[in-house]
Amino acid sequence: MARTGSPLAPGRGTVKIRGTVTPPGDKSITHRALIIGGMLRAPLSLGHPLTSADARSSARVLRQLGVRVGPLRGGHRVEVQGAPWHVPEGTLNCGNSGTTARLMLGALAGCPFAARLTGDRSLRRRPMRRVTVPLTSMGATIREERGDGLPLTIQGGALSPLQYDSPVASAQVKSALMLAALGGRVAVTITEPARSRDHTERMLRFFGVDIDAQGTVVQLDGASFQPAEVPPQSIDIPGDPSSAAFLVAVALLAESGELHIEGVGVNPTRTGFLRVLERMGATIQRENERESAGEPVADLLVRPGALTGTRVDASEIPSSIDEVPILAVLAARAAGETRFCSVAELRVKESDRLNILAANLRTLGIEAAVEGDDLVVVGSDHRPRGRIETGGDHRIAMAFAVLGTVPGAAVALSETASVGVSYPRFFADLERIRGE
């Protein structure tokens, strides 16, 4: 079904959605659980972790530093046994994972040794100074090899307190500085221009760290963190809302039926896409609401429905940045125009998502344009047909695969291997939930 260069998920005459599906474990939370678990001394057991390539990058890097991390296999718990970190043997390869690179830079800032980090071609082009500049202000030494990006070497050690006004709303920047404060046992205050996702704050609070988070300001005193005093813990990772977004979209574009999506994380800092879709006319019910390790979780019930274009303001982007590709695809099937405001951050993701989205939509005969830092999409009932260049980006590949499910579509992807970064079984789930 997923062969490169052939029509992927061709649209059927009548598409019905059906069944129950559980999205993979949350990528952001899995990274944080592995890294913070590696800083503890008691064992940490993780249920339903993401087992994709990105999560394996974090596990691999931690093992090089002396942390015992069990194998990441679907359907199995993962055991993490922290230990004092030591000088790694060789370069720490973060693969395609920007979260691994940026959070590990923070966690390494307080370690009294040097570590060299690199990644694949895509990761090496992504900016790192947004993290390394404030870490340098705290006292870490950073040696770049080719400008703003990997590879680079960080020499950690004694750190100083920091008050930092971040120029971007970035959970990775915020988390890196909080992890540096923990490792260096110093205080940090971070102010963002808008509130970014708060998984790190929630997890650290769950492990007993005293954090004051008010609006866009977070304060943490690393001296309050006593890793040896945290008892053994067992937590379950919620389903990733960013992965669930593709399933929601498939259900909305179907012509009949309904889809149950189980165990989805519904942290308000991650579910901006649900608020946007509800404004566009989607009906998405939350059921069985509960909490897991400080994170809100719910089951989602989604039925097909007509959508109307909308304006997604800059203030909404931090809570929906990873879902803009699938929202743009849905906008292509909505009545009227949809404008995504101030989405320049899309240019420095796994690909230049901003321009790739617009170009691919136009390839399929859909009116789309980049206007400054905005993305504008005009919806239609045009049958999308053409070959999509994914740029090796998992979210681009999955978004256009979803568009390929509408009746009469013939969408071919340049590659499909990239989906292994976040949702390895995506195409199998896609086929299973679709009927005629």
Side-chain angles (χ1 to χ4, degrees), residues 24-91:
D26 189 285
K27 187 155 72 82
S28 297
I29 298 176
T30 298
H31 282 302
R32 285 156 174 79
L34 290 171
I35 294 171
I36 295 170
M39 300 174 75
L40 304 176
R41 297 296 174 264
L44 174 64
S45 178
L46 306 179
H48 192 53
L50 181 66
T51 60
S52 71
D54 270 14
R56 293 175 189 275
S57 291
S58 282
R60 179 179 61 249
V61 165
L62 287 165
R63 292 185 189 111
Q64 287 181 259
L65 293 164
V67 179
R68 293 204 299 272
V69 182
L72 273 67
R73 297 178 295 178
H76 295 268
R77 300 189 72 87
V78 174
E79 309 301 323
V80 182
Q81 176 62 66
W85 294 5
H86 58 61
V87 179
E89 294 184 6
T91 297

Side-chain angles (χ1 to χ4, degrees), residues 3 41 45 67 70 93 116 136 153 171 191 199 210 223 228 268-269 271 283 293 298 300 316 319 356 384 414 428:
R3 285 181 293 182
R41 297 296 174 264
S45 178
V67 179
N93 190 335
R116 183 176 183 268
T136 300
T153 298
T191 302
H199 296 308
D210 186 16
T269 64
T271 52
T283 301
L300 303 180
E316 299 178 274
S319 64
I356 284 179
S414 60

Side-chain angles (χ1 to χ4, degrees), residues 231-250:
Q233 299 280 356
S234 178
I235 64 175
D236 291 323
I237 306 295
D240 195 314
S242 296
S243 294
F246 298 100
L247 304 171
V248 169
V250 173

Side-chain angles (χ1 to χ4, degrees), residues 336-350:
E337 177 184 289
T338 297
R339 179 178 290 268
F340 300 90
C341 301
S342 301
V343 287
E345 182 71 11
L346 292 177
R347 292 191 172 101
V348 292
K349 291 293 187 177
E350 285 85 334

Side-chain angles (χ1 to χ4, degrees), residues 163-236:
Q163 291 190 349
Y164 186 63
D165 290 333
S166 179
V168 295
S170 168
Q172 292 181 1
V173 173
K174 180 175 61 175
S175 298
L177 298 181
M178 286 192 286
L179 293 177
L182 293 182
R185 301 184 61 77
V186 298
V188 67
T189 300
I190 306 130
T191 302
E192 299 183 286
R195 188 184 182 200
S196 65
R197 59 183 63 175
D198 65 353
H199 296 308
T200 303
E201 295 97 305
R202 288 174 181 264
M203 186 168 291
L204 291 178
R205 194 175 287 120
F206 177 79
F207 287 126
V209 178
D210 186 16
I211 294 177
D212 182 19
Q214 301 291 333
T216 60
V217 181
V218 176
Q219 295 178 302
L220 178 153
D221 185 357
S224 69
F225 181 51
Q226 304 294 332
E229 296 180 5
V230 179
Q233 299 280 356
S234 178
I235 64 175
D236 291 323

Side-chain angles (χ1 to χ4, degrees), residues 10-18 253-257 304 383 405-409 433-436:
R12 297 161 176 163
T14 300
V15 179
K16 180 178 181 179
I17 203 74
R18 63 186 178 188
L253 292 179
E255 295 185 323
S256 63
R383 292 181 178 181
T405 67
V406 303
I433 64 178
R434 295 174 62 217
E436 294 189 45

Side-chain angles (χ1 to χ4, degrees), residues 117-179:
L117 288 79
T118 191
D120 68 9
R121 182 178 180 181
S122 169
L123 182 56
R124 290 196 302 272
R125 61 172 287 274
R126 283 179 253 169
M128 292 292 150
R129 285 181 185 161
R130 56 181 57 185
V131 168
T132 60
V133 167
L135 290 177
T136 300
S137 298
M138 295 181 76
T141 300
I142 311 289
R143 296 194 298 275
E144 298 178 345
E145 296 182 23
R146 54 179 70 177
D148 184 11
L150 301 179
L152 58 77
T153 298
I154 180 168
Q155 171 66 59
L159 301 180
S160 301
L162 178 70
Q163 291 190 349
Y164 186 63
D165 290 333
S166 179
V168 295
S170 168
Q172 292 181 1
V173 173
K174 180 175 61 175
S175 298
L177 298 181
M178 286 192 286
L179 293 177

